[in-house]
Amino acid sequence: MTAGGSASMEDGDGKGGLRAALGGLTTRGRSFLAAGIAAAICAYVLGQGDLLRVGLLLTVLPLVCATVLLRTRYQVAGTRRLSPSRVPAGTEARVHLRMENVSRLPTGLLMLQDRVPYVLGPRPRFVLDRVEAGGRREVSYRVRSDLRGRYPLGPLQLRLSDPFGMCELTRSFSGYDTLVVVPRTQPLPPMRLSGEASGYGEGRQRSLALAGEDDVIPRGYRHGDDLRRVHWRSTARYGELMVRREEQPQRARCTVLLDTRRIAYQGTGPDSPFEWAVSGAASALVHMLEQGFAVRLLTDDGSSVPGEGEGGFAGSTQESADSAGLMMDALAVVDHSDGGGLSRAYDVLRGGNEGLLVAFLGDVDDEQAAVAARMRQRSGGAIAFVLDSAAWMHGSASDAELAASEERLRLLRESGWTAVAVGPGADLARLWQQAGQQSSVTQSALSGGTTGFTGGWS
């Protein structure tokens, strides 16, 4: 829930305010003013006193309305609430507006307008009747976008009109809110992939099980802690009561790599291969977090989200929820990079012990396939979804393009990747299951027909 601000329907008494009031004359007000001036001129030329009085009346009426409206002092407070503030692409969000008259005087007719980007739909407009002192009015509208991104909503505008419709003045609130449209995600089926994922499966170790007395990392005592966990040596060292940390299993790690190179994709729009890759990366992130993995998002330019925590991965359960929001926010605005290779992403992975690596790649040549092969050596298991941009653009690929695509997949598979080709409009859930089957067959062949796993993910 987000809040807007408050606005004062009052203006200064200087020349700037008078010019603003005259500039706010409506078509009716300008017509009255022009007719009054014309009548006054005709009355002067013809010497008609009655016509002069009519002309003066027509001229003075819009000026009086503008002056009264200019000196009107309404105190109006407004709030805006987004429900929800983060939505998947193609999903509607509702915006609730509440206007409250905080002054002692009732308002006149108010016209309410909120500024929204054109991709979210038409600009919403509302007409509010007289609002009594201390009264409030609530209205709402819906917004929807098929394009991911961050879209500002506001500032909110109020238009005040006089009873005769001669003049309109506009006041703007200062606050605005942001609607985040994240990529679409698709539920993925549970699948067990071979490959050693650090800290997962039968071989996972407890962080304190192998630690000696001197390796214990204590923390401050909290109300309700068992006194049997008090670490007296640390208590004496720090001068306050310290307790041993609970033994916790190391969480399995997963890195989701998104290739954003501009040269790796062709086409734009919601149905482009790049948008499919972004949506696939988002689906993989959500799925792996639901499976209990510590996950991070990595792009070809070396950017990693979240950037804090142990090794840049999501931490505890609460931190995972926060990190998921950060990663989805990053995917909402991710765009093509101007880089030509994957070397920066490889540098991030050079530390080793990266667990599972899930990559969404565009077009790769022999050089980038070699870089990806070295990435595989830094991970326990690796799966790559390789998009063929030419097939996405033309609907089908030629024999030469099919041969080149198969060659790229062969290079990745020979280096240990579980590589899956992604055709136009492919279903990620089906490809996800296909990757698990390929990995199982590969592991069975390498182990001489056994189906045991040293680790994995499901």
Side-chain angles (χ1 to χ4, degrees):
M1 182 177 73
T2 56
S6 61
S8 173
M9 298 300 296
E10 55 180 279
D11 206 340
D13 296 331
K15 296 181 179 180
L18 182 59
R19 285 195 298 267
L22 294 178
L25 289 176
T26 62
T27 302
R28 179 184 300 177
R30 295 176 186 273
S31 300
F32 268 66
L33 185 61
I37 294 176
I41 294 176
C42 292
Y44 177 77
V45 172
L46 300 176
Q48 297 292 329
D50 293 338
L51 183 60
L52 178 61
R53 286 190 288 271
V54 173
L56 292 177
L57 176 62
L58 294 177
T59 303
V60 171
L61 181 59
L63 297 179
V64 171
C65 290
T67 303
V68 172
L69 193 61
L70 177 65
R71 293 181 176 274
T72 300
R73 282 164 168 76
Y74 294 147
Q75 296 288 338
V76 182
T79 58
R80 180 190 297 106
R81 178 171 58 88
L82 306 182
S83 178
S85 60
R86 182 188 291 118
V87 296
T91 305
E92 289 185 346
R94 183 168 290 274
V95 183
H96 301 269
L97 303 176
R98 185 176 69 177
M99 307 303 301
E100 183 176 1
N101 182 12
V102 296
S103 65
R104 298 180 180 180
L105 298 175
T107 69
L109 187 67
L110 298 178
M111 284 172 284
L112 183 64
Q113 176 178 277
D114 204 7
R115 290 186 178 180
V116 299
Y118 71 94
V119 296
L120 297 182
R123 182 169 295 182
R125 294 180 174 89
F126 305 94
V127 177
L128 304 181
D129 293 333
R130 177 179 178 273
V131 181
E132 65 278 4
R136 64 182 59 179
R137 299 289 186 271
E138 295 186 4
V139 294
S140 65
Y141 64 92
R142 293 178 296 180
V143 291
R144 180 181 182 273
S145 174
D146 292 328
L147 301 175
R148 56 185 176 82
R150 294 174 61 89
Y151 301 102
L153 300 179
L156 193 64
Q157 291 182 333
L158 281 177
R159 183 173 296 175
L160 183 64
S161 176
D162 67 280
F164 299 100
M166 298 289 180
C167 183
E168 291 180 352
L169 293 181
T170 301
R171 297 291 182 268
S172 297
F173 290 83
S174 58
Y176 67 93
D177 298 288
T178 302
L179 175 67
V180 181
V181 180
V182 300
R184 297 184 182 95
T185 58
Q186 182 178 358
L188 301 179
M191 188 60 59
R192 192 168 185 85
L193 257 175
S194 63
E196 181 183 359
S198 174
Y200 188 82
E202 298 297 331
R204 67 185 179 184
Q205 300 174 343
R206 292 182 177 273
S207 58
L208 297 184
L210 300 180
E213 181 70 16
D214 294 335
D215 296 326
V216 173
I217 302 178
R219 62 168 176 83
Y221 175 82
R222 299 172 184 169
H223 179 72
D225 286 338
D226 191 349
L227 293 178
R228 289 175 296 182
R229 291 172 48 209
V230 173
H231 192 255
W232 298 109
R233 182 177 298 179
S234 298
T235 299
R237 178 184 302 174
Y238 294 103
E240 59 177 324
L241 204 59
M242 307 292 289
V243 297
R244 296 181 178 87
R245 294 181 183 269
E246 291 285 354
E247 296 184 357
Q248 297 179 352
Q250 295 179 352
R251 300 185 69 193
R253 291 183 173 185
C254 176
T255 298
V256 177
L257 172 63
L258 176 61
D259 182 9
T260 64
R261 295 173 298 137
R262 189 180 303 275
I263 62 175
Y265 300 94
Q266 299 180 28
T268 58
D271 298 327
S272 65
F274 179 67
E275 292 301 323
W276 191 98
V278 174
S279 179
S283 301
L285 289 170
V286 173
H287 178 75
M288 301 308 292
L289 284 172
E290 290 176 350
Q291 297 300 317
F293 277 68
V295 184
R296 71 173 171 183
L297 171 66
L298 179 64
T299 58
D300 59 285
D301 60 2
S303 301
S304 179
V305 181
E308 300 178 356
E310 184 180 357
F313 291 82
S316 63
T317 303
Q318 180 61 36
E319 292 174 351
S320 297
D322 297 338
S323 299
L326 290 176
M327 290 184 284
M328 295 302 288
D329 288 348
L331 288 176
V333 297
V334 68
D335 200 356
H336 290 291
S337 67
D338 296 328
L342 304 172
S343 57
R344 291 185 180 180
Y346 170 73
D347 292 338
V348 177
L349 298 172
R350 292 180 63 179
N353 194 25
E354 298 295 338
L356 183 66
L357 177 60
V358 181
F360 292 84
L361 305 176
D363 295 331
V364 292
D365 53 19
D366 293 344
E367 180 182 356
Q368 301 312 314
V371 176
R374 295 197 297 271
M375 289 183 184
R376 172 63 182 88
Q377 299 171 2
R378 300 294 180 179
S379 62
I383 175 174
F385 298 94
V386 185
L387 287 81
D388 190 342
S389 296
W392 280 72
M393 288 295 297
H394 306 296
S396 61
S398 63
D399 293 340
E401 292 172 342
L402 286 175
S405 177
E406 288 297 329
E407 179 64 18
R408 292 193 296 267
L409 293 177
R410 184 186 64 81
L411 292 174
L412 292 175
R413 288 165 181 164
E414 288 181 352
S415 63
W417 283 86
T418 299
V420 180
V422 179
D427 180 42
L428 179 59
R430 183 182 60 82
L431 296 179
W432 192 264
Q433 190 170 13
Q434 177 183 343
Q437 294 172 354
Q438 289 186 13
S439 180
S440 299
V441 172
T442 302
Q443 179 67 16
S444 178
L446 293 175
S447 58
T450 61
T451 58
F453 293 88
T454 58
W457 58 275
S458 60

